[in-house]
Amino acid sequence: MDVFSKPKFFTTSTKGENAELLVELNSEYRERRKDAVKRVIANMTVGKDVSSLFPQVVKNMQTEDLEMKKLVYLYLMNYAKSNPDLVILAVNTFVRDTDHLNPLIRALAIRTMGCIRVDKILDHVCEPLKKCLQDDNPYVRKTAALAVAKLWDLDQERARENGFVEILQELLSDSTPMVVANAVTALAEMQESATIDNGGDVFVVNVVTMNKMLAALNECTEWGQIAILTSLADYRPVDSKEAENICERVVPRLSHANGSVVLSSIRVIMMYMRYLKNDDFVKALIKKMSPPLVSLLASPPEVQYVALRNINLILQKRPDILQNDVRVFFCKYNDPPYVKREKLEIIIKLSNGRNIDQVLSELKEYASEVDVDFVRKAVRAIGRCAIMIDEASERCVNVLLDLINTKVNYVVQEAIIVIKDIFRKYPQRYEAIIPTLCQNLDSLDEPEAKGSLIWILGEYAERIENAVELIESFLETFLEENSQVQLQLLTATVKLFLKKPSQSQELVHRVLQTATQEIDNPDTRDRAYVYWRLLSTDPQAAKAVVLSEKPPISVESGGGTGATGSGRGPSNGLAGVSRIAPGLMDELICNISTLASVYHKPPRAFLGNKAFSADAVRKAAVEDAKDEEQIAGEDAPVPGSAAAAAPKNAMADLLDLDFGSAEPQVPAYSSPPVSGTRAPANYNADLFGLSSDMGNMSGAFGGSNGLQNNMNGGNSASGSNGNLFGDLGGFGGFGQSPPLSQNQQHQQPQSTPQNTQSSAVNDLLDLL
Amino acid sequence: MISALFIYNQKGEVLISRLYRQDLKRSIADIFRIQVISNTDVRSPIITLGSTSFFHVRHENLYIVALTKWNANAALIFEFCYRVINVGRSYFGKFDEESVKANFVLIYELLDEVLDFGYPQNSEADTLKMYITTESVKSERAIKEDSAKITIQATGATSWRRSDVKYRKNEAFIDVIESVNLLLSTQGNVLRADVAGQIMMRAYLSGTPECKFGLNDKVLLEKDPNNRRKTSNTVEIDDCQFHQCVKLGKFDSDRTISFIPPDGEFELMRYRTSDNINLPFRVHPVVTEIGKSKIEYKILVKANFSSKLNANNVVLTIPTPLNTAGVTCSVSAGKAKYVPAENSIVWKIARFQGQSEYMLTGEADLTAMTHKKAWSRPPISMDFQVLMFTSSGLLVRFLKVFEKNNYQSVKWVRYMTKAGNYQIRF
């Protein structure tokens, strides 16, 4: 023992390490053999190939030394697949071990056997497994229960033929709660892959099984409780009374120290709530759910994060929860960024007329932090509050002005973007602040902020004395600007011309000329053509179109504002509140605490499950996107998700290649912004962000399709005298929407006939 | 539903890799290293690449990473990762790269036991210690006899306790430890103040004792018609969570806390209150920026608790701007010095008597900066411990032990309040 007391297992290898190990493994001394096995395992861990030592390692399996046995088993599980013929050497020992006096060894043998995925061993598994399922010792039984699921995974038919399904179902009545829990776990997993061809369902939660599970719930381990709670969620109560009873049995779990038990209980309660008819009971339940949800914020940050994502979800389903608790969501200075971001989302959701002062001073505090991303989000949040809570809008604007006065570059830019949306929501109310905004012209270098200010200039040109000079100064760099800014400049100049024709005739002429002759971007160029034509044909109509009333916006992505007639919902960039469609919502409620609830996406959207082909997944994603848009009330880029995923797809490919199977290529998801990947919380916003990367291409489509939409939709702001006007009217509306709505402009043609039609129009325009 | 568990060091080297499912290959470990460990801008603990989701938790110099290809229970996976850390700490004292490397065989053994086919099994360190032991040189007979008992107990209804515990002297120690969280606004208003309490118990009791535990819980005491004292001395508990030994059903129905304790030390319950918090310390900071080259600090701290009590290890961390060149300061008690690495003045007061107050005055000289970004003024944070004081006013009313042998037992209670997130904005 002395010699080997401090062996270094992770030493760097010399050339013939395997050869050396081979000698050691055959040593006559037990300790040396054991150390050799340890070194083999160490090598395996770091990824070296030690499969050639298979026979020598397996030889050491027959030992009374439990530690040694476990090591050899571990090795076997890893390399059995690469040496299927040799595994048979081990079978005898396994079978003998399942008869061992020591229950730990019996359990170990049956547990390991299940993990060896070699067909040959299956013939030998069934008998010992049957024995172990009926073992006197609960520890062996609970291990065997899971072993059935392992066997099922390998060979469903064999598992059915041998009657394991029935045995497992009997185990639901076992006297030991942990055995019941594992039987539930195994059955639930098997049910997921059970097919009708193979004999149908294996686990249907009915009154009998439900009562058995409830009985075991109180006494099994925390993990067992989760398994049971998860299966309970599958049960459909017959009536309100029964749902009430079950909820009452589940409610005490909310005091469990383990956060995942709490969340799993909340899932059950939330799901059963829809069967409850007694309103008082529902109210009481909601009251009981709030404190445990708040307590989850004392968990480690990762658990907090999952909890916060779920709270976000629950708040959308049940806005009456946590109403007085906004303060507990205030960020701590040292919270990790992902927790802060989620807290911010929830603060916005919980803010109302009563607590807005508190919320605002908190948001202002955040706006002075160091994390730029978070600061921007905080500024946006202030804008969202302004739009959401009418009576607080003035206070919000004041806070924004304070922030602009700090002169911190990115804060100023973000504030201007936000103020543009406030102007849209409350036209004519805050024009007094325009001069303050104009003082910051020079510090704007981001296209979005620049575009926002230009939009404000154009919109309020008649009230800004030096509007002409200001716009002129922007136009000096017209050709170098980002296309988003170009579009805004174009529209603003036209607006300026319509409002102050005498001062800007020359200006508008120059802009239109530059845009049509020197710019290759079809989006900008075509818009210039449209304006030109419009202005030269009928200035009155142009006025009606370009200066027409804009649809109002709201934080809920402007849904249901009746704005759809114009074909462009208002900007969603600011709002960014991804409202979840009711159908999806119900699905997500069924998935509380799971990955789906973290991503706010249905599981099929991010799981490359075998049940879904790549196409199906993509289609599903597209459908979800559609759902979201319907709620959002905007016809935003449907295939955006697929397009946005493109850059990441390469990696997904690599990953899946790595697994050596033809896995579907699924877009890479990641919870909120891991750089480059997509964030579900701001799903819309980010998606658009990505699609704008491909600005040129989709912009072109967007332009033509936007026109198309209006042709069909018939938003004739001008009163549609004549066909051409109808069309152009649509275009005009499009031109006016504030800078951000660039997002909405990127539509891809949805069907071919439309496509050809619109490209025909395009051609026409080109001829002009 | 955990498909694999990996432990990496900070460099991204795999220290432990255990696959539970066949749906992935070992080489997936590289993907995590490339995408997360070598990536400087990782902003989420969950990342899904392709169809594989990676959950990671950092501890000491380790990454504990769980992988799944399912729509797994995310909360469960994180709770489990922390449980792995706890088990590791309980076994090795410290769970870091060194201890993982030194004990990797044992860790594999543990991982085999706590997760089966990706489903968590028993993860209580105390239970695991009964049959996964560090010294493998145990007589073979003993194992055989023991293990039957051990396994029955490990799966039973009181899996946390052996039945044959014996003590000559039966004692139970209760520690009430409260962490006060405070966030004070620039104007001195309380933005949030709450207490996260923890009741730790060390039970050295023979046999299978049934314990009943009572607090001055408002809900409970107000329900009792015989109780005359009424609201004066009670605490409103917002929420509490219990160790798995506590009978939750019973608490839910009549708010009594009854349990059969594990042997030795454990956390009996955690609670949260936000009502009537006694803040042990008040801080009045006056921080003025004088021009662009100087900042003046005047910080006053006052102890709000009874003068009979003392606070220990009081530390105030007062932030200074990044471009601080030097600080001069004087204090009326303790020691204060500028710590450039933390960008702050650290003021330590070893003993702080109740009702007394101390003052720090100082100046920070700033170097000129080309970049004129405003200073973000991070909050002052505070650390302290006050013995025999609870911010919430919580008291232990009784601990009753019932055992069939009817022995006498001695109980001890201790209270302590310490700083949680005690932050003062200025």
Side-chain angles (χ1 to χ4, degrees), chain A residues 511-522:
Chain A
V511 170
L512 291 176
Q513 198 150 29
T514 320
T516 47
Q517 286 172 3
E518 290 177 49
I519 286 177
D520 294 330
N521 181 348

Side-chain angles (χ1 to χ4, degrees), chain A residues 521-701:
Chain A
N521 181 348
D523 218 9
T524 317
R525 189 193 57 205
D526 291 355
R527 195 189 284 192
Y529 273 126
V530 172
Y531 282 139
W532 205 335
R533 174 82 177 190
L534 197 55
L535 289 170
S536 56
T537 316
D538 184 350
Q540 277 316 308
K543 217 169 205 170
V545 170
V546 178
L547 303 179
S548 70
E549 192 113 320
K550 275 152 291 296
I553 62 171
S554 75
V555 168
E556 316 269 271
S557 299
T561 52
T564 35
S566 72
R568 4 232 102 266
S571 153
N572 173 41
L574 160 110
V577 179
S578 40
R579 284 280 300 185
I580 296 169
L584 179 60
M585 189 67 197
D586 286 339
E587 193 177 349
L588 292 181
I589 290 291
C590 304
N591 282 301
I592 281 180
S593 180
T594 68
L595 260 182
S597 73
V598 173
Y599 288 146
H600 292 186
K601 293 259 101 192
R604 61 178 182 278
F606 57 87
L607 290 185
N609 218 321
K610 290 118 208 144
F612 298 103
S613 68
D615 282 343
V617 172
R618 201 160 288 160
K619 215 186 279 167
V622 167
E623 262 157 26
D624 294 331
K626 261 187 200 151
D627 279 352
E628 264 177 29
E629 277 138 34
Q630 271 158 16
I631 257 292
E634 52 186 320
D635 41 359
V638 168
S641 53
K648 276 281 167 183
N649 254 355
M651 188 172 56
D653 279 350
L654 272 180
L655 271 175
D656 289 332
L657 272 182
D658 192 64
F659 310 143
S661 60
E663 296 275 349
Q665 296 154 13
V666 186
Y669 283 92
S670 157
S671 26
V674 171
S675 61
T677 46
R678 205 141 24 74
N682 303 313
Y683 179 67
N684 278 336
D686 280 12
L687 201 126
F688 298 149
L690 274 173
S691 66
S692 77
D693 288 343
M694 340 197 309
N696 285 339
M697 186 200 83
S698 59
F701 280 122

